[in-house]
Amino acid sequence: TIVYQLEKGDFDSAMRSIIGSGRGKNDMSIETQRALSDILAFVFRAFDRENNGKVDATEVACGFTVLCDGKKSDKLEYAFEVLDINNNGRLNRMQVSNYLRSFLTVLVCVTTSSHLVCNISEDSFLHMNGKPCNGDAGTISNAADKGSTWAAGQAFKGSYSGRKERDHLNFDEFAEWYTRKGYSSIPWLELLDLKKWVITE
């Protein structure tokens, strides 16, 4: 398996070019640019599971679709195709887990950011069994790993027909499972549609 790695310096350079690309009346304030830079750096740390300043570029690219405009279905299909390294239209259980983990990592990092105005005491992402969780990048990465592994298991369990469970899923099978009952298991996937985000002034 080929893993395309992205180093922290290259990631930072790319993010600076995006953050600083606004011109004219829509320029971001310095404060907003700093906050966004902090959030993006936090996302990088959550993807840096080996703590070596490198991340899986493919997984980051898939995860960042969360923050892009467009339809949820297009983002899901794009990421599925990107992670289909064998070009056979199918993902195995680990690949489906990585597929979901890429989205979940970005979602949790962004929605738990201290730069966003929210009622931390009511934030369910920061609680487990009614107790507050540590919100550092390592904890979020671990939670995303466990959540996506569980969700992939649900997708495989819920999508098989006949005598035995499948060892691969194609995109249509995943989409059919999600539409039929997966949405109740992983409702956070709905947040790939930015129109479903609640933005307050």
Side-chain angles (χ1 to χ4, degrees):
T1 302
I2 298 172
V3 176
Y4 297 99
Q5 293 192 320
L6 177 65
E7 296 189 5
K8 180 71 163 68
D10 294 329
F11 175 84
D12 289 344
S13 177
M15 294 305 104
R16 274 194 302 272
S17 70
I18 292 170
I19 293 170
S21 65
R23 297 288 179 263
K25 63 182 182 180
N26 293 322
D27 280 351
M28 285 183 255
S29 68
I30 296 297
E31 181 182 333
T32 300
Q33 288 183 32
R34 284 186 184 140
L36 188 52
S37 293
D38 288 347
I39 292 170
L40 294 171
F42 187 61
V43 171
F44 184 93
R45 288 195 304 276
F47 275 109
D48 183 8
R49 293 177 175 84
E50 303 296 322
N51 294 313
N52 62 2
K54 297 176 183 176
V55 296
D56 181 331
T58 303
E59 193 174 340
V60 170
C62 292
F64 266 72
T65 63
V66 168
L67 306 175
C68 298
D69 197 15
K71 296 191 300 187
K72 176 188 72 180
S73 58
D74 291 342
K75 295 177 186 185
L76 287 168
E77 190 165 11
Y78 164 78
F80 201 97
E81 289 174 3
V82 168
L83 290 170
D84 176 18
I85 56 173
N86 297 320
N87 293 318
N88 62 7
R90 303 181 308 158
L91 300 182
N92 62 31
R93 189 180 295 250
M94 180 179 288
Q95 290 170 318
V96 170
S97 178
N98 291 347
Y99 171 67
L100 295 170
R101 182 177 69 185
S102 67
F103 302 129
L104 190 54
T105 299
V106 173
L107 280 170
V108 176
C109 284
V110 170
T111 58
T112 61
S113 170
S114 61
H115 291 286
L116 300 179
V117 178
C118 61
N119 185 344
I120 295 296
S121 65
E122 295 180 1
D123 193 334
S124 60
F125 274 129
L126 294 177
H127 288 75
M128 181 177 289
N129 297 327
K131 297 178 183 174
C133 298
N134 181 351
D136 64 32
T139 301
I140 286 175
S141 178
N142 188 39
D145 283 346
K146 289 185 178 357
S148 59
T149 299
W150 176 85
Q154 295 301 302
F156 275 85
K157 189 187 305 179
S159 65
Y160 78 94
S161 60
R163 293 186 296 273
K164 82 178 206 182
E165 193 171 321
R166 301 173 193 206
D167 56 358
H168 289 80
L169 288 178
N170 63 39
F171 181 74
D172 289 337
E173 290 165 342
F174 176 84
E176 191 273 333
W177 165 78
Y178 183 77
T179 302
R180 187 168 36 87
K181 63 181 180 179
Y183 66 89
S184 62
S185 298
I186 52 172
W188 48 264
L189 209 55
E190 290 299 307
L191 293 175
L192 267 67
D193 180 354
L194 291 180
K195 293 174 184 167
K196 295 186 178 177
W197 290 49
V198 178
I199 308 295
T200 58
E201 296 294 328

